[in-house]
Amino acid sequence: MIEYNIKANQLKIKYYPGINKTAEKIIQIDKIVSNKLETRIFDFEFDVLSIKYIDEQDLYNLLDLRINNKEDWIDMLSSIKNKTNINR
């Protein structure tokens, strides 16, 4: 993951889908079906956040993000959890 932004009901993520490529994804937080966490074992590794969501065509989609900064990981996860709990 390069950067992210959380506004209202949207999670905007800029990330590397491959070598020397960048992509941007906007996910409606209320369309997130589930998320899975994998935390780092060693300090030099990264955390992984897998987000399963329903896209614009009403199809299930999965986005796996490798996150280096622990604070970003915690912020994203808490925003997703808080907003999905409010909407349910």
Side-chain angles (χ1 to χ4, degrees), residues 26-34 51-62:
I26 297 175
I27 300 172
Q28 295 296 113
I29 293 179
D30 62 349
K31 298 283 186 171
I32 294 175
V33 177
S34 66
I51 302 172
K52 184 178 180 182
Y53 63 97
I54 300 172
D55 65 12
E56 301 83 29
Q57 289 96 23
D58 288 330
L59 300 173
Y60 287 97
N61 210 330
L62 180 66

Side-chain angles (χ1 to χ4, degrees), residues 37-49 66-74:
L37 315 169
E38 293 178 30
T39 59
R40 66 184 85 187
I41 296 172
F42 304 106
D43 284 340
F44 56 85
E45 291 186 304
F46 48 81
D47 298 304
V48 176
L49 177 58
R66 293 179 180 173
I67 303 172
N68 293 331
N69 188 339
K70 192 81 155 175
E71 287 78 24
D72 289 343
W73 181 78
I74 292 168

